[in-house]
Amino acid sequence: AENDSSKLSPLLIHVLEAMLLAFVTSAMNYPFTRLLRLPMVEVIHGLFETCPNDHGTQLGLCDATSVNGFASGSELEAWLLLAAAVRWLQTAVTFGALIPSGLFIPSLYIGANVGRMVGLRAIDLSSSIFGERAQEQINPSVFAMVGAIATLS
């Protein structure tokens, strides 16, 4: 007869899986950007607000020296895209695990990051076509809201 004490119980396997997921998630979030380090709800709030605001400044989304108050540039756009990609990967993995991880808030987060990045690209494109004055008409936070809504539909 086989020795049943050598087998791992299903409960222990689930606990170990949850611990591994928690460790990998924190290891992926912390070193890169504040967009991943802070709680998702705070980041979404910052992405939805127009500049200047405390959340946006804390996240590096606002720049008082720019024409419209929004920080822009390829580095910020890369961080927004990286944050969305990392969160998408984490959401896909944790959704398959037997732990409560949520889909609603991560979906809002991913869409808001991508939407904000598209809004920043729209500012750059409009300023190259229509000049600096056109930048004042585009608000990347509205793009963040539309992106968040789009990921839910």
Side-chain angles (χ1 to χ4, degrees), residues 19 30 54 94 97 102 111 128:
M19 289 174 56
Y30 187 76
D54 291 336
T94 56
S128 65

Side-chain angles (χ1 to χ4, degrees), residues 14-26:
H14 292 307
V15 169
L16 291 174
E17 179 184 30
M19 289 174 56
L20 179 66
L21 284 172
F23 174 75
V24 171
T25 300
S26 62

Side-chain angles (χ1 to χ4, degrees), residues 29-51:
N29 288 352
Y30 187 76
F32 297 115
T33 175
R34 293 187 64 81
L35 293 167
L36 287 167
R37 221 174 289 151
L38 294 174
M40 282 190 279
V41 175
E42 288 184 31
V43 175
I44 293 168
H45 186 195
L47 291 167
F48 283 2
E49 286 189 339
T50 190
C51 290

Side-chain angles (χ1 to χ4, degrees), residues 112-133:
N113 275 290
V114 173
R116 185 77 176 221
M117 193 257 321
V118 170
L120 294 174
R121 295 298 314 144
I123 287 175
D124 293 342
L125 182 64
S126 70
S127 67
S128 65
I129 295 173
F130 302 111
E132 294 291 321
R133 186 80 175 132

